[in-house]
Amino acid sequence: MNNGIKVHATCRKNYLKSLGDQCIVGEWKSIENFQVSEPGKHFRPTKLMYKIIFINQKVIKPYDFEDDDMFLSLAEFDSVLSGRLETEFLIDIVGQAIDVGELQILQSNGKELRKIEFTLRNISDVRIPCCLWGKFAEKMETHREEAQFGVVVCLIRFAKIWSFRGNLQISNSYDSSKLVFNLIIKEAEELKETNDEGKQIVPEANTETPQKVDTWKEYEDKTISEILGCTQ
């Protein structure tokens, strides 16, 4: 919406082609004749209590309003790490990508899975571990060398917060997330200026015992039916 409020929208498979022809990313449209329903519990991109569903009777028209604003709702690093944010909601988060690992190719039920692990840090040097999968991992891997020798500012839109044995991480939410590098926003410029000026970001002393980071490969594969029956 033109005041920055976002609403979750879905479309049935048989309407996808016509919707794609009429709704181009970045273009403003007016929409008439759609259904309204509850948004579901998990992976919600907005806190609105409803979502819209495109149906065959939908009417999509050009809209005179224009605005290139991304309408970001950036999450604070401290809020993520403290666990105060509800994990069923997707978030926008931006930071400098550091400690970018190598692209890993894993095998699961006969299929290849690609993942990459790295860290996002903000201007106060608060750091959040991240793990991206699939095409997002491949896209991050192309910036690995740049992150090692320069400054790569990374925005993850509609990212999910997930916890594995008490360790919070940021990850992509299937293909609904969006990964953008070196965008021009205030937070990105501040990170670049800090590095350009040669200021050394010194983290606060940490007296807590480091948490053990669990390795993904240590745990056996589970079928979908086994996962659905889990209580943890």
Side-chain angles (χ1 to χ4, degrees):
M1 297 176 65
N2 59 14
N3 58 357
I5 299 173
K6 294 178 279 288
V7 61
H8 187 189
T10 62
C11 176
R12 294 185 175 90
K13 184 177 180 180
N14 50 326
Y15 303 143
L16 277 176
K17 186 180 185 306
S18 62
L19 178 66
D21 292 339
Q22 298 177 75
C23 289
I24 308 300
V25 174
E27 292 185 358
W28 288 83
K29 303 288 184 178
S30 67
I31 305 170
E32 301 174 6
N33 301 334
F34 51 83
Q35 292 180 346
V36 177
S37 70
E38 295 182 353
K41 184 177 180 180
H42 300 291
F43 310 122
R44 292 172 56 183
T46 172
K47 291 190 176 183
L48 286 181
M49 297 304 296
Y50 302 96
K51 70 176 180 180
I52 65 175
I53 302 174
F54 289 95
I55 59 177
N56 192 39
Q57 294 79 17
K58 66 186 181 301
V59 178
I60 302 175
K61 300 178 181 178
Y63 190 51
D64 293 336
F65 182 83
E66 293 184 7
D67 195 331
D68 293 331
D69 196 326
M70 298 179 71
F71 297 105
L72 296 174
S73 301
L74 295 175
E76 296 289 342
F77 279 47
D78 290 333
S79 297
V80 174
L81 293 172
S82 67
R84 295 197 301 268
L85 299 182
E86 298 170 280
T87 56
E88 62 263 33
F89 295 105
L90 304 180
I91 64 169
D92 299 336
I93 190 163
V94 66
Q96 181 184 357
I98 60 173
D99 301 331
V100 181
E102 295 183 355
L103 183 69
Q104 301 178 48
I105 301 178
L106 310 174
Q107 297 291 332
S108 177
N109 296 326
K111 294 183 178 181
E112 286 188 350
L113 297 176
R114 288 171 167 77
K115 81 164 185 174
I116 197 167
E117 296 178 344
F118 62 101
T119 300
L120 276 185
R121 74 176 176 186
N122 65 8
I123 197 169
S124 301
D125 201 39
V126 180
R127 305 185 180 198
I128 298 179
C130 302
C131 179
L132 298 181
W133 298 83
K135 65 181 183 181
F136 300 97
E138 294 172 353
K139 191 173 182 180
M140 173 58 72
E141 199 272 338
T142 63
H143 287 75
R144 184 169 180 264
E145 184 175 349
E146 183 183 356
Q148 183 178 359
F149 298 104
V151 179
V152 174
V153 179
C154 174
L155 165 68
I156 310 175
R157 296 211 69 183
F158 306 117
K160 68 177 179 180
I161 305 170
W162 66 298
S163 176
F164 184 69
R165 290 185 174 268
N167 297 314
L168 291 174
Q169 284 189 331
I170 296 296
S171 184
N172 57 289
S173 177
Y174 303 102
D175 287 340
S176 63
S177 300
K178 186 175 182 180
L179 185 59
V180 183
F181 295 98
N182 298 325
L183 68 166
I184 302 176
I185 59 173
K186 177 176 66 70
E187 291 80 4
E189 294 304 309
E190 288 176 350
L191 280 166
K192 291 180 179 179
E193 288 174 4
T194 299
N195 284 271
D196 290 342
E197 293 171 2
K199 296 178 182 177
Q200 182 69 32
I201 300 178
V202 180
E204 296 180 359
N206 184 6
T207 58
E208 298 180 357
T209 302
Q211 290 180 311
K212 177 182 180 294
V213 178
D214 297 285
T215 302
W216 186 83
K217 293 182 180 179
E218 292 180 359
Y219 302 91
E220 62 180 346
D221 293 339
K222 295 289 186 182
T223 65
I224 292 177
S225 59
E226 289 174 325
I227 292 174
L228 292 175
C230 289
T231 58
Q232 294 182 337

